[in-house]
Amino acid sequence: MTIVGVPAGWPATEEEARAVQDELRGRVVLDEPGPPPGTGRVTGVDVAYDDDLDLVAAAAVVLDAATLDVVAEATAVGRVSFPYVPGLLAFREIPTVRAALDRLPCPPGLVVCDGYGLAHPRRFGLASHLGVLMDLPTVGVAKNPFTFAYDDPGPARGGSAPLLAGAEEVGRALRTRDGVKPVFVSVGHRVSLGNALAHTLALTPRFRLPETTRRADALCRRALREAAQGLAGDGAQDSTTRQAPTS
């Protein structure tokens, strides 16, 4: 098993990471609509951690956007590449996520991250960071609103309400199932907010979370279990595996 290492020159301190965010944030593209919903391919990425073994596993699952059938999938396992700092979580995950995406046998198309894009305190969450580094259209679909305010959307599927940082709209709270709590959608890179919402609805025909996220979540957890067992033997079954916090 190959363990993805921390790239040379990767930020090691909060100050270095924030400087990288500041530089890359200026490269986010907000004036492209992105691929039309329901066409081409759409890829979900997600990560899981083993705290005891200092491992992070990433999965990338490519779906046919029209049928939601799986086209391809890939995983990577790496060392955690940055300390836990709220607002800087992308620096813990991106080397391994990029490795998983690079192992796909086909272009990913639109990438849907289990996390945030512009809906981030520094307006540069994982979806934006990954999109800029790989020059891919990206969307963030998160399970919670982070620090932002919103009014409850209408109760029917498709209802949405602005996700606000003061008066600034950084995303949308989107109802994907009737009467079920919303998800929180934000632009990452090279996609409009309207298309991000449409893609999210197209990816949620049955469940609250996008099929991209559901498939990638299951795959990265399985990859982490297998990696932990390979490194630590049977005792790895007692190690702590958790869902990665989103950023």
Side-chain angles (χ1 to χ4, degrees), residues 19-103:
V20 170
Q21 280 186 333
D22 289 341
E23 191 275 324
L24 294 179
R25 185 172 54 239
R27 293 162 52 184
V28 173
V29 174
L30 300 176
D31 60 355
E32 291 185 15
T39 64
R41 297 184 179 117
V42 58
T43 296
V45 296
D46 201 4
V47 301
Y49 291 94
D50 186 301
D51 295 320
D52 291 343
L53 296 177
D54 192 36
L55 291 178
V56 56
V61 180
V62 185
L63 304 184
D64 181 289
T67 65
L68 302 187
D69 293 334
V70 175
V71 174
E73 58 186 32
T75 62
V77 177
R79 295 296 178 188
V80 177
S81 52
F82 196 80
Y84 174 78
V85 179
L88 300 177
L89 301 185
F91 291 93
R92 293 167 59 84
E93 304 169 3
I94 278 182
T96 310
V97 171
R98 288 191 71 172
L101 286 166
D102 286 341
R103 292 174 184 175

Side-chain angles (χ1 to χ4, degrees), residues 1-5 50 53-58 75-79 96 103 220 222-233 236:
M1 176 181 58
T2 301
I3 300 293
V4 176
D50 186 301
L53 296 177
D54 192 36
L55 291 178
V56 56
T75 62
V77 177
R79 295 296 178 188
T96 310
R103 292 174 184 175
C220 70
R222 185 169 77 236
L224 183 64
R225 287 195 300 269
E226 293 171 356
Q229 289 166 2
L231 288 176

Side-chain angles (χ1 to χ4, degrees), residues 102-115:
D102 286 341
R103 292 174 184 175
L104 290 171
C106 59
L110 176 79
V111 176
V112 179
C113 298
D114 178 24

Side-chain angles (χ1 to χ4, degrees), residues 134-187:
M134 300 195 73
D135 194 28
L136 292 169
T138 55
V139 171
V141 182
K143 301 179 185 73
N144 62 69
F146 207 173
T147 60
F148 302 110
Y150 68 99
D151 291 329
D152 203 36
R157 169 178 162 83
S160 70
L163 190 62
L164 297 171
E168 179 187 0
E169 183 175 2
V170 295
R172 285 254 163 181
L174 176 67
R175 191 88 64 188
T176 56
R177 306 298 302 153
D178 290 352
V180 173
K181 63 183 180 179
V183 297
F184 301 91
V185 180
S186 58
V187 170

